[in-house]
Amino acid sequence: MNTMAGNDTEADQVIRFVDVTKSFPGREGRHVVLNKVNFSVPRGKITVIAGGSGQGKSVILKLILGLMRPDSGQVLVAGQDVARLRSRSLRLLRTRFGVLFQGAALFDSLTVFENVALPLRERAHMKSEDLADKVLETLAQLELKGHENKYPAQLSGGMKKRVGLARALQLDPEIMLFDEPTTGLDPLMTNEIYNLFVQTQKRVGYTAVIVSHDIPKIFDLADQIVILNKGEVDVFASAKEIQWSIKPYIKEFYDTTMNNINGCNKNRAGQ
Amino acid sequence: MVQLNEYHSGIPKFFKPFAVIGNEAVYVLIDLGRMGVFLLYAIIGMFKHPFRLKEVVKQLHFIGTGSVAVIFFTALSSGMVLGLQGYYSLHKFGAEGMLGSAVSLTLIMELGPILTALMVTGRAGSAMCAEIGIMRISEQIDALECMAVDPFRYLISPKFVAALISVPLLTAMFDVVGIFGGYLAGVKLMGVNSGSFFSGMEQSVTNHDINLGIIKSFVFGLLLVWICTGRGYFVQQIKGAGFGAESVSKVTTQAVVYSSISVLIFDYLLTAILL
């Protein structure tokens, strides 16, 4: 296991995976998605989790949130073992998270305003005027002003993601989890979403964990990159560090990624 | 992917059917266990502060008010058929005067609770299952949990409260409309004496009979809302349901079938215990 980026002290590591194994039942037995995985997420930094489809990237997010339990090992969030927490403590811990789901997970029967106001209504116990002010302020910051009364079905994919981000930011989270935030978006919208991450991360200062397929773009944002392959992880401090890995899979991963970037650049120069 | 273990590997061919039966038994026990825990959480959620009155009213409108028309027509036709068939049977013995008694007892103790539960299962139960199933596969329930919002208190328990209120009320409506249907067919069409119809009913129907009908409707309401919401909630954990939209459609069908069968089984059990 490579831990090149693991120089922070334990207090600076807001999330830690310690020998985590997770498997799922399959047709001919159990498929191990994570096999004794160890890595940590430094506080206030952006960690990108990359890897092919079905390698367990989203499983990592669900383990962090306590939506799944590991078969063995520990997932520690702020020093607490998530799997051992009682439901009330787990709920309390979750108030520290903001999550942007792959499909934004907006409530279909609620308007944009009601979706964004939901965490405040349920958790913050604010006066309705203050609540409305805060929601409208966030919507304005994310360029959603004028769309308050629309339903999710009336929004484009990019707008849904922005509404999801607005909702996730309502309780001023310490940790933001992004599950493939740019899947299904065009390149312009992808850039816009990434710019929003950078802006909001600078403003709020949250720790970010981003699961993404969108490797070339996401490398620019990352303070740490975790690559998943066949149940194992490799941790790198930057994209440059990846090229020094001697593992064939990582080399192939790096070459493919860089070829894609160079190909894109050549195409752009040709145009 | 690495395989931790392989089911049935190393088991002699002769014993494999036993291993399959064992796996199925374990699955059924796990399923029953999670449905039991689901019921417990849903009931606890009904008493948790703050009470979600607005959502309960919305669900009352959906389950209760929305089912009035279908219950009305089912009750009217059932009552009229009972009136006609009752008259036909009783006429053979010259006991037409017992028609009011036969129609009202059949409706209050048996047909009212059963048919109301089956109609509500078909109309509202299937919709509740599909709604929760879609919320599960589109990560909306995960989103609630991540926002530290209890999905039972927010989503499930209001449906339980609404079903427990509306199913007995709809059953009461079914009984009244059904008896009116029996009156129309027996008295207005077949010429049974109106006084003997109502006096027979008054003499034979006791509080115990009405209580039996109410208890049944209450239990059926609980069964249908539990099974329909529970199947939707666990849509991704149900064996053989598949994935995505297909899983929601399969689980919705399963929920309606299981609810209907449970209602019929519990009807017999309650009748046997309480009669």
Side-chain angles (χ1 to χ4, degrees):
Chain A
M1 212 76 49
N2 192 330
T3 52
M4 281 182 252
N7 298 326
D8 297 314
T9 63
E10 210 162 284
D12 292 330
Q13 296 165 350
V14 68
I15 298 167
R16 284 177 64 211
F17 275 62
V18 183
D19 290 333
V20 172
T21 298
K22 180 69 188 171
S23 61
F24 294 95
R27 281 190 181 175
E28 294 173 357
R30 293 190 74 84
H31 295 298
V32 178
V33 176
L34 303 174
N35 190 17
K36 289 190 178 280
V37 160
N38 289 282
F39 72 92
S40 55
V41 174
R43 192 181 297 277
K45 301 281 172 65
I46 296 177
T47 296
V48 169
I49 299 172
S53 294
Q55 300 289 345
K57 301 188 296 296
S58 298
V59 172
I60 284 184
L61 295 190
K62 290 189 174 174
L63 288 169
I64 293 171
L65 288 162
L67 295 172
M68 280 180 188
R69 285 164 185 255
D71 299 340
S72 64
Q74 290 179 307
V75 179
L76 302 166
V77 177
Q80 301 179 79
D81 186 349
V82 179
R84 287 179 178 272
L85 289 178
R86 285 177 173 272
S87 56
R88 183 175 283 189
S89 309
L90 186 59
R91 212 165 287 147
L92 203 65
L93 184 74
R94 283 176 181 157
T95 58
R96 300 164 79 162
F97 287 105
V99 187
L100 178 57
F101 287 90
Q102 195 170 346
L106 300 177
F107 300 104
D108 301 321
S109 57
L110 303 182
T111 63
V112 166
F113 181 91
E114 288 165 339
N115 262 290
V116 178
L118 182 69
L120 292 173
R121 283 218 171 98
E122 294 294 321
R123 304 296 312 173
H125 311 297
M126 294 168 84
K127 282 183 187 172
S128 54
E129 302 87 47
D130 297 340
L131 183 143
D133 289 345
K134 188 167 164 60
V135 171
L136 291 174
E137 187 190 331
T138 314
L139 289 176
Q141 281 168 358
L142 296 176
E143 295 173 23
L144 288 163
K145 206 174 175 182
H147 300 287
E148 298 88 359
N149 296 320
K150 286 185 179 170
Y151 285 90
Q154 297 171 294
L155 303 176
S156 68
M159 281 165 78
K160 280 183 190 171
K161 297 273 162 106
R162 278 188 279 158
V163 176
L165 184 59
R167 187 177 68 183
L169 290 171
Q170 284 308 291
L171 293 173
D172 302 322
E174 288 173 47
I175 306 160
M176 273 294 299
L177 307 178
F178 300 92
D179 189 3
E180 308 208 7
T182 55
T183 302
L185 299 183
D186 61 66
L188 283 175
M189 193 54 73
T190 301
N191 277 341
E192 196 183 312
I193 292 289
Y194 284 139
N195 288 338
L196 274 176
F197 291 171
V198 175
Q199 285 167 19
T200 51
Q201 205 265 346
K202 276 182 184 163
R203 197 172 67 239
V204 183
Y206 53 68
T207 303
V209 179
I210 305 174
V211 161
S212 184
H213 276 305
D214 200 7
I215 305 302
K217 288 197 173 67
I218 206 78
F219 275 179
D220 294 338
L221 299 178
D223 296 308
Q224 174 179 272
I225 299 158
V226 176
I227 297 177
L228 280 169
N229 180 42
K230 292 181 181 172
E232 294 187 357
V233 300
D234 290 87
V235 185
F236 302 94
S238 68
K240 280 180 190 170
E241 217 179 59
I242 296 174
Q243 66 184 301
W244 303 116
S245 175
I246 53 164
K247 290 191 177 179
Y249 170 76
I250 302 291
K251 283 179 86 67
E252 189 189 343
F253 181 85
Y254 178 81
D255 291 342
T256 312
T257 304
M258 290 304 137
N259 285 341
N260 282 346
I261 296 172
N262 293 336
C264 288
N265 289 341
K266 273 180 191 170
N267 286 342
R268 210 175 292 158
Q271 284 169 0
Chain B
M1 295 289 171
V2 185
Q3 287 186 358
L4 262 187
N5 57 46
E6 287 185 1
Y7 293 139
H8 318 154
S9 65
I11 298 174
K13 209 174 178 181
F14 178 76
F15 290 112
K16 279 190 179 175
F18 296 102
V20 171
I21 293 166
N23 273 337
E24 286 300 319
V26 169
Y27 171 74
V28 169
L29 284 176
I30 290 171
D31 199 27
L32 282 174
R34 68 175 157 234
M35 286 297 283
V37 173
F38 177 88
L39 177 64
L40 187 70
Y41 280 0
I43 290 171
I44 291 170
M46 285 160 62
F47 301 102
K48 269 190 180 172
H49 182 78
F51 187 65
R52 298 184 59 82
L53 186 64
K54 202 176 162 187
E55 186 60 24
V56 170
V57 171
K58 189 179 159 192
Q59 291 301 325
L60 273 173
H61 178 75
F62 174 67
I63 302 170
T65 317
S67 304
V68 164
V70 72
I71 294 295
F72 180 87
F73 286 110
T74 311
L76 193 67
S77 65
S78 306
M80 289 180 79
V81 168
L82 267 179
L84 284 178
Q85 291 215 341
Y87 176 83
Y88 177 74
S89 305
L90 293 168
H91 182 66
K92 287 180 178 173
F93 309 102
E96 297 94 332
M98 300 297 289
L99 185 64
S101 164
V103 168
S104 54
L105 279 176
T106 312
L107 282 167
I108 290 169
M109 293 169 67
E110 207 52 52
L111 283 186
I114 281 241
L115 288 180
T116 304
L118 293 180
M119 298 315 284
V120 173
T121 300
R123 204 201 70 82
S126 55
M128 285 192 281
C129 180
E131 180 197 353
I132 291 170
I134 288 168
M135 289 186 78
R136 171 60 82 190
I137 63 168
S138 61
E139 297 181 312
Q140 292 176 44
I141 293 176
D142 288 345
L144 277 178
E145 291 189 40
C146 294
M147 285 187 278
V149 176
D150 181 359
F152 285 91
R153 194 181 65 76
Y154 184 83
L155 202 63
I156 309 292
S157 299
K159 289 180 170 47
F160 269 66
V161 175
L164 291 176
I165 293 170
S166 56
V167 173
L169 287 176
L170 288 168
T171 304
M173 194 194 99
F174 189 108
D175 294 345
V176 172
V177 175
I179 290 167
F180 178 67
Y183 171 82
L184 281 182
V187 177
K188 295 293 175 187
L189 288 178
M190 307 310 293
V192 174
N193 183 274
S194 171
S196 65
F197 183 90
F198 284 113
S199 68
M201 189 173 85
E202 197 180 335
Q203 281 166 13
S204 57
V205 177
T206 61
N207 277 343
H208 174 265
D209 303 328
I210 295 169
N211 289 342
L212 177 64
I214 292 171
I215 291 169
K216 277 186 177 181
S217 66
F218 194 77
V219 173
F220 296 165
L222 182 68
L223 277 174
L224 77 90
V225 73
W226 172 36
I227 293 170
C228 290
T229 54
R231 296 328 270 173
Y233 194 81
F234 295 117
V235 63
Q236 290 166 323
Q237 285 153 278
I238 291 169
K239 206 172 173 182
F243 302 97
E246 186 196 4
S247 67
V248 177
S249 74
K250 279 187 178 172
V251 164
T252 304
T253 307
Q254 196 188 67
V256 172
V257 171
Y258 284 7
S259 296
S260 305
I261 291 171
S262 307
V263 162
L264 295 171
I265 291 171
F266 270 78
D267 181 48
Y268 176 77
L269 291 175
L270 287 171
T271 307
I273 293 166
L274 298 172
L275 200 63

